[in-house]
Amino acid sequence: MDHIRKTLLSTVITILFIIPNVTYAKDIVSGFVGAWIGEGVARPNGFGPPERIKCKVEGSLSSPTQVGFGGRCATVSGSGEFRLLIAQDETGQAIAATVILSTSSERTAFSGRVEGGIIRLFQKQPVVQGERVITSVMTLEVSSDDSSINMQSVVTDTKMGEDSQSLVIQFHKEE
Amino acid sequence: MRYLSSFILQSSVLRPVWVLLVLLPLAVASVFGVLRINYEDGLRSVFSSESQVFQEYARHSDGFTQSEANVAVLVSAPSALDGDDLGHLQEFLLDVQFLDGIAGILSVFSLRRADQGGAAFIPLLPSELGDQGALHLALKSAARMNLTGAALVSSDLRETVVVLSIGGDPSEMVSSSKVLRNLDKLTAKFAEDSGLEVQVAGLLSVREHIIQGLRLDQMKINLLGALFGFAVSLVMFRSFWVAALNTITPIIALLFCLGAFGWFGLSINALTNALPVLILVLASSDSIHLTYEIRLRMSAGEKRIAAVRQAVIDIAPPCVLTSLTTMLAFVSLFYSESPIIRDLALSGVVGVFIAMIAVLFVHPMVFVLAGGLPLIKRALPIRHAEQGQGFTDLLAKAVTSRFRAISVLGVALCVAGLWVLLPVQTNYRFMENIDVDNSVAETLSRVEQIAGPVTTVEIPLRLKDGIGPFDAALLVDIGVLHQAVKDIAGIHSGFSLHSLRVVLSGDGELVSPEVLKAMFDKMPERFRNRLIGTDGRTLQLTLLVPDIGSQAVARFALDVEIITRNLGLTAVSVGRPTGFLVMSSALSDAMIRQLTISFLLAAIACPLLIGVWYRRLDFALAAIVPNLLPIALIGAGLTLLDFDIQLTSALALTIAFGIALDDSIHVFNRLHLQACEDPSQGMSRQAIDLAMKKVSPVLVTTTVILSSGILATLVSEMPMIRFFGVLCIVTFVLALICDLLVLPALIVSFTRKIR
């Protein structure tokens, strides 16, 4: 009987620990679901002069822990498709992401964590762009009511030691 | 023919209600067919063929982004563009890229300059549009810069051009039309929000405008054609009811014809646009001959049914023959390699056949059924003497008494006309399909004033073995090419890897091939693909050249070919100039020449058919000159007036020849009927005088009907259709004069000779 009570208690404790995390993690990715319109500023190649940018994207869950967030972004110089794939682990704290741009054949891989409701992603491998060696940090923040997403990116030229706010986009749900 | 007449008598005359019961479901089906009609401009497929020129063009254009798929948006401000205006433009540029089908943009914001250190290329316009001084300077630089050979800002800085690339196949106008409609909505919103004037232009817009014009034309031209037909019938027959009866059959013929077009998938395009109204007037013309005969017989005391019966026996054969000669004229167009002209030939044959069947079966039925109504019955017999009978009698006698002089004069004029006309001088311009004062054409002209011609000539450059697209030797070669062709008259500017290198270098030293490659790699794919083909081994030098007419373009292309042939280039082999302008110029000439052969085939085949039909050599010989003469005179006139022979004129003259023969056939038929009635008279001058006296008023009437019906084409949205109409009318009038003067004279001559 005592053995049964102990087993039951440990199960309840486990559930109490896991359920909130899973629910929280599910909330993070489900926050991206829907049709979004974003506007902001982008710097071409990370360090170029700022240009206005507009995006129309669609977020959809591919599994309870994975979301695809992709669509079309345009600046006054041109436009292209982009896709951001976000996946979380079972704890919901560790995040992996991949960015795919139609203008480039390469995928950029990120890994990061959820901190206080903000997803912070770090580029896994720096890329060489002309004279520069670039890495970036992307932050994504879904508002508590899931009505907006703030996406920002800061790039760093590790060779020259320069930083630049390369992207700031505020997404709102499309009406 | 006897069996056909018998069948008509058994059905339409003796069992008109049965015919009506068959007609009703056919009419309903035709209405649904009309709703299925497909409208397309067809102008891109005009030149599609197996010819070497077209195949070269198709192969080359497959590898490069097509400039004909570009649409220009012209943005105009009352004074020099300021920060607010460009802020609104930015908003538009962001939004327009989300329209389905927009594959790329090029605007003043796309222009780049080297930064101060020369290490990177940055936007020409400042990020902060509020700094008016910096913005003004930047716009001035933009007005001088031509990244793609075309400037994007006007010299007074009031206007700017945005170039939008439409994705997909440029020949597929259905999807392009949708993109253009959405673009129109967005530009209207942009204009409203900004207070700027915004207009859309480009070859796709021209084609879209033509398609819209075709729909409008079909409604306007056919309605007016029917109304004119009714009005002329009213004047000629002086009876509302007879005119009304005479209008029913042509309208049914038109409905069946359009219905058949819909069900058989025959589209209405720039060439077939005038076909429905032709069918309408041809059916009107044949109906008038039947109506005239029925009334004549009823006036002579015959009962209505007997009059209809005899009219069918007498007039159905020439109606069939006139339809056959018109069909033969259309069949001759199959000689052309162009799919759109072959489509016209098929549509013409189908349309004329349907009109013939409608006239033969519906018109007698209309008179049997409706003619029985008391109000109409009273109106049928002719109650007054035909006007002009005295004049036609005098004219016929005057002609036959001077038959030698008139015959010689007719033949001499015909030979002189052909002498001037042949060899045919051809001319073609894509923009001949649209009015110069049309808003799309005006916008295009304003865009061309800023950006230069929207039409181009492309010179293919094939890399030699071991040479890469950014090798210094290649760039030197392309520079030499630019230098060699720049002085050829007509070239606005050139666009290639070399010109891109010059633009990127600004006023400084030419940038290195490595820097050029780095910049090139950052450009949008559609832009890159205008310079280097998809195979990576073919480049092109694009010359911006105005559409100056096919002859001038052909000369220009030859000049370019001669100049580039012996430049001694080491890195690249220069191909023959190509592109839509060169291809259409070369093939339009070949196509118009093919149409000339089509016409000659029709000119031989139709008189031959008349000779076989009546089994008379003299009829066949006599038919040639009176019908060839109008065409020779008009062709010579066009050549002498420097209009040359356009695609429209070549088509109009061939088709009008087939129709103009109708009058001659009715003259032959009258002579044939008289000869059957009174064999002792034979083909004497008296018999010819009598036949001309009887048939002349009908010939005048049918010519007026044909001409007035075709007059409706003058309201067409398309200048080439209006020109087609004018040429047809002039042909019909000249053909009438020839049939009244030259034909009887020649019949007398040949009859005497052969006898």
Side-chain angles (χ1 to χ4, degrees), chain B residues 224-239 243 246-247 284 288 700-709 711:
Chain B
L224 269 179
L227 283 175
F228 285 166
F230 174 76
V232 175
S233 297
L234 195 61
V235 172
M236 294 294 165
F237 294 125
R238 298 187 197 177
S239 161
N246 205 66
T247 312
S284 294
I288 278 185
V700 173
T701 308
T702 51
T703 302
V704 173
I705 287 269
L706 284 170
S707 303
S708 59
L711 204 63

Side-chain angles (χ1 to χ4, degrees), chain B residues 141-219:
Chain B
S141 300
R144 289 193 300 270
M145 188 182 272
N146 52 359
L147 188 63
T148 59
L152 296 172
V153 177
S154 64
S155 53
D156 61 3
L157 312 187
R158 281 198 319 105
E159 293 177 304
T160 184
V161 175
V162 176
V163 181
L164 303 173
S165 297
I166 309 286
D169 180 1
S171 65
E172 189 45 71
M173 271 309 286
V174 178
S175 56
S176 299
S177 296
K178 197 175 162 196
V179 178
L180 290 173
R181 280 197 296 277
N182 288 334
L183 182 61
D184 279 342
K185 284 182 198 161
L186 194 65
T187 50
K189 184 176 175 295
F190 171 33
E192 193 184 326
D193 293 348
S194 63
L196 299 167
E197 189 187 346
V198 187
Q199 287 159 310
V200 179
L203 298 183
L204 281 179
S205 304
V206 171
R207 294 176 63 195
E208 169 69 3
H209 182 85
I210 290 170
I211 291 172
Q212 295 304 328
L214 291 175
R215 291 176 194 278
L216 205 60
D217 272 3
Q218 282 310 301
M219 282 187 278

Side-chain angles (χ1 to χ4, degrees), chain A:
Chain A
M1 192 62 190
D2 193 41
H3 172 73
I4 293 170
R5 199 182 302 128
K6 274 183 183 171
T7 307
L8 197 62
L9 186 65
S10 62
T11 307
V12 170
I13 289 167
T14 308
I15 288 169
L16 283 174
F17 267 93
I18 292 171
I19 283 179
N21 284 333
V22 170
T23 309
Y24 182 66
K26 189 173 180 289
D27 284 346
I28 280 287
V29 289
S30 65
F32 287 88
V33 173
W36 302 85
I37 292 178
E39 284 190 69
V41 177
R43 288 178 185 272
N45 305 314
F47 292 89
E51 284 185 2
R52 289 178 60 186
I53 188 167
K54 192 166 185 176
C55 300
K56 283 189 178 180
V57 294
E58 188 89 24
S60 58
L61 289 173
S62 43
S63 80
T65 58
Q66 286 187 332
V67 68
F69 188 68
R72 190 171 185 81
C73 285
T75 70
V76 287
S77 325
S79 65
E81 306 289 328
F82 97 97
R83 187 156 178 80
L84 172 64
L85 301 167
I86 306 171
Q88 61 188 7
D89 70 350
E90 286 176 348
T91 66
Q93 297 299 307
I95 301 285
T98 304
V99 174
I100 307 161
L101 297 173
S102 63
T103 50
S104 163
S105 56
E106 289 175 13
R107 295 168 165 228
T108 312
F110 290 83
S111 64
R113 303 192 62 76
V114 179
E115 294 167 0
I118 299 173
I119 299 173
R120 201 175 301 278
L121 296 163
F122 299 89
Q123 192 174 321
K124 281 185 173 175
Q125 295 287 328
V127 289
V128 178
Q129 238 180 47
E131 301 283 291
R132 297 179 185 275
V133 179
I134 287 174
T135 187
S136 64
V137 178
M138 191 182 345
T139 56
L140 296 158
E141 185 179 6
V142 183
S143 67
S144 54
D145 60 354
D146 286 353
S147 66
S148 67
I149 300 169
N150 184 275
M151 180 189 273
Q152 297 200 20
S153 175
V154 174
V155 294
T156 303
D157 181 348
T158 55
K159 197 172 167 187
M160 320 274 265
E162 276 181 58
D163 286 339
S164 169
Q165 176 89 54
S166 62
L167 183 71
V168 179
I169 307 180
Q170 191 72 30
F171 286 97
H172 294 281
K173 277 247 164 86
E174 201 172 7
E175 287 169 7

Side-chain angles (χ1 to χ4, degrees), chain A residues 38-39 44-45 48-56 71-80 103, chain B residues 87 89-91 93-95 97-99 102-105 107 109-110 112 121-123 127 522 524:
Chain A
E39 284 190 69
N45 305 314
E51 284 185 2
R52 289 178 60 186
I53 188 167
K54 192 166 185 176
C55 300
K56 283 189 178 180
R72 190 171 185 81
C73 285
T75 70
V76 287
S77 325
S79 65
T103 50
Chain B
L89 179 60
Q90 275 188 335
E91 200 68 43
L93 294 176
L94 290 176
D95 287 338
Q97 293 176 80
F98 291 103
L99 288 185
I102 299 292
I105 59 164
S107 74
F109 292 102
S110 313
R112 294 288 185 270
F121 290 94
I122 59 172
S127 300
K522 287 176 189 167

